[in-house]
Amino acid sequence: MARENGITFYRISEACGIKADRISKIARGEATVTALDTIERIADALRIPGALLGLAARPWEDSSPTPHPESDDGDDPMNRRQLLRGALAAGLTGGALTALTDTRQSMDLALTADTAPSDLSDLEAAAEAYGYGYHGQPPTRVLADIAGDFTDLQTHLDSPQPVATRIRVCRTAGQMAGMIAIVLHDLGARKEARKWFATASTAAKESGDRQLHAWVLAREAMVPLNYGAPRAATLLAEQARHTAGNRPTAAATLAAAVAARAYALADQPEQARQAVRAAGSFMEQLDAGARADTWLTHGEQKHHVHLSHAFTALGDTRRARESQQRALELSAPTSTMTRSLLTIDAAACLHHDGDTEQACQRAVAVMSRLPDAYRTGLVRRRALDLYRSVPAQHHHERAVRELHDVLTA
């Protein structure tokens, strides 16, 4: 009927406050409307008697049509402006008030329009699911899955959206871009990781979610932290701490823990210990939701993984081993990367305490068992740091040579 009478989906969209592409899908039978308030809005906008939609008679059915100040071209903003001015020229008459009411109601419809993409909730749920990490899957497979869903978000930003919907899209985009950056970082693609963190940061700022922005900055700090630039990492970590604020949130706790690691590697032990204390204080106050074991939160296992590295870098091997043991207890057998990193931290503690041979043997064992998908990234870098910490005069020793051979294979 709409097509036969020259009524476009855009006109129906504007009248009903529903996105035009969704109107098109409904018309083709590819989507349905089930929310009662949306059905009522459609009935009122298109003047469909309630009985035809299984509703009670609509209020307007028992009254004469309200004179409307718009002509057939009333959807033209210029015509609307002229009609409104003309109605108000005579003062606050009934017609003028009706024109004002129509103007206000049009804005109300636009502000509350049911224009959220139908799959946005699915994409938000997908982002939450990805936050649970690798679960034994190769990082490249996880990367492909997240990137695939991320592309679907872009289409929702290419067209105008209500503010609330845009905030949701930007928040989800920030989460997904941040997780893509995490995987790239773990795989050793640090330049690409930084680019994706920049995208995540832009999306997080656009969403207005300061905690998400702080999380992105803290995660980004781990790129220079793990790849030989601890002072650059301290700057990013402190920026994350400032953005997160002083409340005990997952992002604030993560930022303090990352700062502790960065300061320890930058030979700033006092600042490192202060950050450890701040992270511990926040951790004690986190609620159950913030303690969940995901990339987007800060669980006890993750906390001890960070402390393990911080205490190892500080040379506090006793406390490092305590965190390593607790983190291993909380890590699933499928957490290949985390368990490997903890074992190499333990090897570094052995080296610090004087048993370099045993330290290298443990690192070799880890690298030899590592699946191919994990051998070029973060675990290799951590093992390489151990090798470089061994004085040159010991490089001829068998265990040290074996570690060198594994790292250069």
Side-chain angles (χ1 to χ4, degrees):
M1 289 172 62
R3 276 197 299 269
E4 289 170 0
N5 289 277
I7 302 174
T8 66
F9 289 146
Y10 176 80
R11 292 291 299 274
I12 299 175
S13 167
E14 186 180 54
C16 299
I18 299 176
K19 196 173 179 181
D21 64 354
R22 191 175 178 201
I23 291 288
S24 176
K25 288 180 179 179
I26 294 169
R28 295 196 305 268
E30 296 175 5
T32 58
V33 176
T34 57
L36 179 60
D37 60 340
T38 306
I39 295 172
E40 291 176 339
R41 192 161 75 241
I42 293 171
D44 294 342
L46 303 184
R47 289 298 191 262
I48 302 172
L52 297 181
L53 291 174
L55 303 173
R58 308 305 298 153
W60 49 265
E61 292 185 53
D62 297 323
S63 60
S64 59
T66 302
H68 200 282
E70 294 183 357
S71 68
D72 289 341
D73 295 325
D75 60 336
D76 186 322
M78 184 61 70
N79 286 339
R80 290 186 179 190
R81 181 190 295 263
Q82 292 171 350
L83 289 168
L84 184 58
R85 283 178 175 173
L88 287 170
L92 287 180
T93 62
L97 291 174
T98 298
L100 282 174
T101 298
D102 284 349
T103 300
R104 176 181 56 76
Q105 289 178 341
S106 294
M107 178 58 74
D108 286 342
L109 281 174
L111 291 171
T112 61
D114 182 20
T115 57
S118 58
D119 61 341
L120 180 54
S121 295
D122 292 338
L123 291 169
E124 289 172 324
E128 181 181 354
Y130 290 134
Y132 284 92
Y134 297 117
H135 279 293
Q137 299 180 83
T140 48
R141 177 184 296 178
V142 175
L143 180 62
D145 289 344
I146 303 176
D149 280 334
F150 184 83
T151 59
D152 291 340
L153 284 170
Q154 183 177 342
T155 61
H156 301 318
L157 291 174
D158 288 341
S159 57
Q161 301 283 358
V163 173
T165 299
R166 186 173 180 84
I167 287 173
R168 289 172 60 192
V169 174
C170 288
R171 181 183 294 116
T172 307
Q175 293 172 340
M176 286 192 179
M179 288 186 282
I180 288 172
I182 290 172
V183 180
L184 288 168
H185 160 266
D186 290 350
L187 289 171
R190 56 185 183 276
K191 290 183 179 179
E192 288 302 314
R194 284 198 297 268
K195 293 175 183 177
W196 276 93
F197 275 126
T199 298
S201 183
T202 299
K205 285 188 286 188
E206 180 80 7
S207 77
D209 189 333
R210 290 180 64 86
Q211 294 304 313
L212 175 59
H213 188 204
W215 173 81
V216 170
L217 291 170
R219 278 289 187 170
E220 183 180 0
M222 292 167 66
V223 179
L225 170 68
N226 287 315
Y227 289 97
R231 294 190 184 279
T234 61
L235 296 177
L236 276 170
E238 287 300 339
Q239 187 180 349
R241 295 177 75 181
H242 175 75
T243 302
N246 296 318
R247 294 187 297 112
T249 63
T253 312
L254 172 65
V258 173
R261 296 171 60 187
Y263 282 126
L265 290 172
D267 296 321
Q268 296 177 268
E270 184 53 39
Q271 291 92 328
R273 292 188 178 93
Q274 289 176 359
V276 166
R277 288 192 290 271
S281 175
F282 282 147
M283 189 67 194
E284 291 175 356
Q285 301 175 69
L286 289 184
D287 59 34
R291 286 172 170 266
D293 185 18
T294 78
W295 279 337
L296 296 165
T297 52
H298 193 82
E300 184 184 357
Q301 182 256 21
K302 184 185 283 86
H303 188 63
H304 282 290
V305 169
H306 288 295
L307 292 185
S308 166
H309 195 211
F311 287 134
T312 298
L314 286 168
D316 190 343
T317 57
R318 180 187 63 81
R319 296 182 71 183
R321 289 189 177 97
E322 289 175 355
S323 286
Q324 289 155 18
Q325 181 60 37
R326 183 57 180 155
L328 285 170
E329 291 172 357
L330 296 170
S331 298
T334 56
S335 298
T336 302
M337 186 171 295
T338 297
R339 299 180 75 86
S340 298
L341 291 170
L342 289 167
T343 303
I344 294 176
D345 279 354
C349 288
L350 283 171
H351 169 58
H352 181 274
D353 291 343
D355 194 347
T356 301
E357 180 181 8
Q358 180 68 13
C360 290
Q361 288 175 353
R362 284 200 181 185
V364 167
V366 168
M367 295 300 297
S368 298
R369 293 194 303 264
L370 209 60
D372 290 343
Y374 293 88
R375 289 195 177 194
T376 59
L378 182 55
V379 179
R380 181 186 178 280
R381 176 70 198 201
R382 192 71 61 84
L384 184 61
D385 288 342
L386 171 61
Y387 174 78
R388 289 173 175 170
S389 70
V390 177
Q393 62 265 30
H394 295 289
H395 285 188
H396 67 279
E397 296 173 5
R398 179 177 177 180
V400 182
R401 287 202 320 271
E402 289 178 351
L403 178 57
H404 175 269
D405 292 344
V406 167
L407 290 171
T408 55

